[in-house]
Structure formats: C-alpha cells, structure tokens
Amino acid sequence: MGLKTLLTTHIGAADSHTLNHYRSVGGYESQKKALTEMTAEQIVNDVKNSGLRGRGGAGFPTGNKWGFIPKTDKPKYLICNGDEGEPGTFKDRLLIEKFPHMLIEGMVIAAKAIDSHQGYIYIRGEFHKGIRIVEAAVEEAYKAGLLGKNILGLGYDFDLAVYSGAGAYICGEESALINSLEGRRGHPRLKPPFPAVSGLYACPTVVNNVETFCNVPHIIRMTGEEYKKIGTEKSPGTRLFAVSGHVKKPGIYEVEMGTPMKELIYDICGGIKNDGTLKAVIPGGSSSPILTAEEAMTATMDYESIASLKSMLGSGAVIILSESADLVETTYRLAEFYSHESCGQCTPCREGTHWVKDLLHKIKIGEGTEKDVELIFSLSRNMEGGTTICPLADACVMAVRPTMTKFKGEFSARLKKEVSISH
C-alpha cells in the first residue's frame, strides 16, 4: 500500500501532454490492441474483471455501466465528465492538463465497447488552460489518424468534441450535464429512464469521469485480472487524492486503494501543518460526511472502509482540518456553496439549502438559538432521502448535519445561551 504510480508514472515530463511524449511511453498501444484484437464484449468483460469503479463520486462498477447499453440501431453517445466543481476537488484538472491523450485513448476504447461513434469531453468552464490543452490534444489525435473516420485504418470511426461548461456545479450530475450539452438549462432529469437507455438526444449514453477513462488504457494493457491485483479485492486499482487543508505537503497523490488514511496524512503528506493536532477529515469532497480524528486514524482509503464510517470517498478530495479549524465557519461556507449552486428546480433543495445557510450564518455570528439548531435538523430531514430529483440537497445535509452532530460543542458555544445540542 502507499504511493503507487499508474496514471501519473510520467508526471515529471514537461511535455507529457503532447502526442509525441505519450506515444514514446507506449501511448495508444492499448487502443490499437482493443481495435484489432478484442471484440466489444471482450473489452467490457476485461473492464468488469478489473473491478474498476467510477472515480467521480458514487463508485459504480464501470464495466457494469457499459454493459447496460442496449443493442439498438440508435446512435450511442460517450461523454467524459470533466466538470469537477466540488470544493476541495482538483485531481481531474491534473489529468486534463498533463495527460489528455490518456483520456482520449481511454474514450476510444470505451467507444468500441459500447459501439459509440461520437463522444464529448465536457470540461468545467473555469479550466481555461485545461480546455486549451485538451483541444490541442484532440487536434493532434485527428491529424495522426487516432480519431475520426477509419482510425489507424482499422475500420472504426469515432469523433470527439470538447465542450466548455459555464461553471455550474450542478452540471457534474450526469443528466444535468446532458441537458447542458443539448443547449438546455443544466437541470437534472427524473429517472428512469436512465442515460444508458435514454440520454443525450434520447439515445443510449454512457457518462464517465476523467480519472475513470484514464484507467482504461492501463487495464487493456495489463488485463483486468492483473489490474485487480492492485488495491483491495472490492476496491481495486489506484486512486488520485487531492489533499488540501492543514497538512505540510498538500497536493495530488496517487496511492493504492486500501492505503491507511493515517499513512496518507502523516507519511505521504508530512503530517499536520505547524505540527498541530488533527481534528477532523472530510474524506471525499464537501458532500462526504466529516470524520473525527479518531475515525480517520482507523480508516483506509477504499470504498468499503469509508462507507463503514458512514461517509464516502466521493470525488477524491481529502480536506484535513487541524485543531485551529473553525468548524462553524467551515460548515457555513459549505452550506453557502450548496445554496448558491442549487439549480432551483426542486423546492426542498431550493428553499432548504437557502434556509440552512442563513441559519448557520446566524449561529456563526453568535445570533443563533437552540430553535435555529432544531430547525436545521428538521429541514435536513425534509431535504434528504429522495425528496429531490438529484442528490444536491442530500449533499448539503451530509456537509452540515454530521459536523453539527459530531462537533456539537463548537456550535453550542456560538449560540446566544450556552446550551448543548441534543442530537
């Protein structure tokens, strides 16, 4: 366990984003293998055998998602979700800027697996540098015959376009992203039907995250069975973690799944800034429930371990909080984010995130009361559990309620009267 480079093996090369460099280290060999030696079913089965799970949030098995695409004469679409907008999350940005050809190769292989001939890379609008780099990489790939009609003379066609979002966090939700691609408001869709059946232009569609696609060439090169030997049985492979907050060496680290969180914080990231004491960890982006220091020291960086602590790996953002952290301020800032990013389509989310944010502001400035705390918990119960079309309201609840419960003393101390929170 610990540091293990797979996706980031050549991170030190200044020209890692170019076609020449990528080919010099074996790039596009997996694409050639997939197009010449493997059927669509063999590609899907290899990815299933690898145990690869989505690296964007929910961790759904990638091969299973591809296998849901029906056999139909309708066009099938392939979409890369590069919208990365969750607070603390910045690992896909690295892949976009450093390894765009790895992403393109992974998408071509996935395209054959689902019989898709048109793909889109949807990138967060603020990633100006990344958008330019990916557009240049796509152009290089077209000129080299790696995209377009009759790829490498092997009889497979696949076109790829880059689409810039407008900076809406909600477009990280796959159906809202699809609406945005169609030129509509970025509003999530009711499900079913799911995108695999009726997605972009009402056709079968697969949406995967940047890091997910970047794993695919490595799986095809080494085979799914070999890939599965990395990490843990139920959480194979490596994972990129964007570590920020009160650590001595924040940054993006590729580690083997199952690595102890303690090792990530103290050995890999150098420990707590200013030799402070760990207070808490947000393990998978702002929507993943906070862990106490005691919980963090028992956790390993895999889906099952974090789920057993009633949290999740989510977007791969690990936010480290020392004893100097003001968790009332932190919680308010996160609630403010979700209030701002709600698309407003569902009443429990539109109104609930707004009220939670305002009530937390009252508590933050010392004007809150026990009734305000009770109201936050009451609102939370009405915002979660399927009351909205997408999970944004649930994400707000997960960013707020666990922190108020586990660190209730900090919130009680900010109320008008020194009372405890009985939850």
Side-chain angles (χ1 to χ4, degrees), residues 188-223:
R189 297 177 179 179
L190 281 168
K191 305 182 190 71
F194 291 92
V197 175
S198 180
L200 188 65
Y201 308 124
C203 293
T205 303
V206 162
V207 183
N208 279 130
N209 169 264
V210 174
E211 187 181 353
T212 308
F213 281 124
C214 285
N215 273 278
V216 173
H218 301 279
I219 292 169
I220 299 303
R221 173 179 55 82
M222 65 172 58
T223 76

Side-chain angles (χ1 to χ4, degrees), residues 8-71:
T8 60
T9 300
H10 304 286
I11 190 69
D15 59 348
S16 65
H17 61 286
T18 65
L19 178 59
N20 284 339
H21 179 271
Y22 188 62
R23 277 187 146 172
S24 74
V25 295
Y28 288 107
E29 289 301 313
S30 293
Q31 174 177 311
K32 184 178 179 180
K33 177 183 176 181
L35 295 183
T36 58
E37 303 175 24
M38 302 176 74
T39 65
E41 290 75 18
Q42 287 174 326
I43 296 171
V44 171
N45 287 334
D46 214 18
V47 174
K48 283 183 178 179
N49 291 337
S50 74
L52 177 66
R53 297 172 64 168
R55 300 301 199 234
F60 191 82
T62 303
N64 289 4
K65 178 183 276 193
W66 295 2
F68 291 152
I69 295 295
K71 304 293 184 184

Side-chain angles (χ1 to χ4, degrees), residues 260-337:
M261 187 179 289
K262 182 177 181 179
E263 182 179 345
L264 176 65
I265 297 171
Y266 288 96
D267 297 338
I268 297 173
C269 296
I272 307 303
K273 191 175 181 180
N274 299 323
D275 294 320
T277 302
L278 179 67
K279 177 189 283 188
V281 176
I282 300 175
S286 62
S287 62
S288 60
I290 199 167
L291 302 179
T292 64
E294 292 76 17
E295 290 172 326
M297 291 302 96
T298 67
T300 54
M301 304 305 290
D302 56 79
Y303 296 102
E304 290 69 38
S305 174
I306 304 300
S308 71
L309 296 169
K310 299 182 179 179
S311 189
M312 56 187 182
L313 280 185
S315 62
V318 183
I319 303 171
I320 311 300
L321 301 165
S322 74
E323 283 294 342
S324 65
D326 181 346
L327 292 187
V328 178
E329 176 73 27
T330 299
T331 307
Y332 164 69
R333 291 292 182 184
L334 294 180
E336 185 180 40
F337 169 80

Side-chain angles (χ1 to χ4, degrees), residues 91-404:
K91 49 92 177 176
D92 282 347
R93 178 182 176 181
L94 176 78
L95 295 174
I96 287 168
E97 294 181 358
K98 294 290 186 179
F99 307 108
H101 284 285
M102 191 186 299
L103 169 60
I104 294 168
E105 183 179 17
M107 291 190 72
V108 174
I109 296 168
K112 180 173 180 181
I114 67 168
D115 190 31
S116 171
H117 300 285
Q118 178 64 60
Y120 297 92
I121 303 175
Y122 187 104
I123 303 179
R124 178 179 174 179
E126 291 91 342
F127 288 175
H128 302 294
K129 178 181 177 181
I131 292 168
R132 290 196 302 271
I133 288 172
V134 173
E135 287 176 337
V138 168
E139 186 177 347
E140 280 186 311
Y142 267 108
K143 288 180 179 178
L146 298 162
L147 284 174
K149 304 298 181 185
N150 193 23
I151 293 173
L152 295 176
L154 301 174
Y156 195 81
D157 304 337
F158 182 65
D159 287 303
L160 190 58
V162 181
Y163 188 98
S164 171
Y169 171 68
I170 195 65
C171 288
E173 196 277 336
E174 61 181 8
S175 64
L177 186 157
I178 289 169
N179 271 343
S180 178
L181 272 176
E182 291 181 352
R184 306 170 187 268
R185 284 183 178 228
H187 282 177
R189 297 177 179 179
L190 281 168
K191 305 182 190 71
F194 291 92
V197 175
S198 180
L200 188 65
Y201 308 124
C203 293
T205 303
V206 162
V207 183
N208 279 130
N209 169 264
V210 174
E211 187 181 353
T212 308
F213 281 124
C214 285
N215 273 278
V216 173
H218 301 279
I219 292 169
I220 299 303
R221 173 179 55 82
M222 65 172 58
T223 76
E225 291 298 329
E226 287 300 311
Y227 181 90
K228 195 173 176 65
K229 294 177 182 178
I230 305 169
T232 69
E233 181 181 355
K234 294 184 178 179
S235 297
T238 64
R239 184 85 197 259
L240 269 65
F241 291 105
V243 185
S244 62
H246 301 143
V247 285
K248 292 180 180 178
K249 296 190 292 182
I252 300 169
Y253 298 93
E254 185 176 10
V255 303
E256 190 169 0
M257 295 283 271
T259 297
M261 187 179 289
K262 182 177 181 179
E263 182 179 345
L264 176 65
I265 297 171
Y266 288 96
D267 297 338
I268 297 173
C269 296
I272 307 303
K273 191 175 181 180
N274 299 323
D275 294 320
T277 302
L278 179 67
K279 177 189 283 188
V281 176
I282 300 175
S286 62
S287 62
S288 60
I290 199 167
L291 302 179
T292 64
E294 292 76 17
E295 290 172 326
M297 291 302 96
T298 67
T300 54
M301 304 305 290
D302 56 79
Y303 296 102
E304 290 69 38
S305 174
I306 304 300
S308 71
L309 296 169
K310 299 182 179 179
S311 189
M312 56 187 182
L313 280 185
S315 62
V318 183
I319 303 171
I320 311 300
L321 301 165
S322 74
E323 283 294 342
S324 65
D326 181 346
L327 292 187
V328 178
E329 176 73 27
T330 299
T331 307
Y332 164 69
R333 291 292 182 184
L334 294 180
E336 185 180 40
F337 169 80
Y338 286 109
S339 175
H340 180 268
E341 294 297 334
S342 172
C343 75
Q345 186 175 195
C346 305
T347 302
C349 181
R350 180 184 66 247
E351 302 298 327
T353 55
H354 173 76
W355 274 99
V356 168
K357 179 257 295 184
D358 284 354
L359 290 166
L360 281 169
H361 185 262
K362 282 182 68 179
I363 295 171
K364 181 175 82 83
I365 63 174
E367 295 296 322
T369 65
E370 181 67 25
K371 287 185 178 180
D372 294 320
V373 173
E374 295 288 346
L375 183 53
I376 289 175
F377 281 93
S378 176
L379 287 165
S380 296
R381 289 189 289 271
N382 290 319
M383 292 166 63
E384 64 183 350
T387 62
T388 53
I389 293 173
C390 91
L392 190 142
D394 296 75
C396 180
V397 172
M398 290 189 288
V400 171
R401 188 171 60 196
T403 311
M404 293 185 70

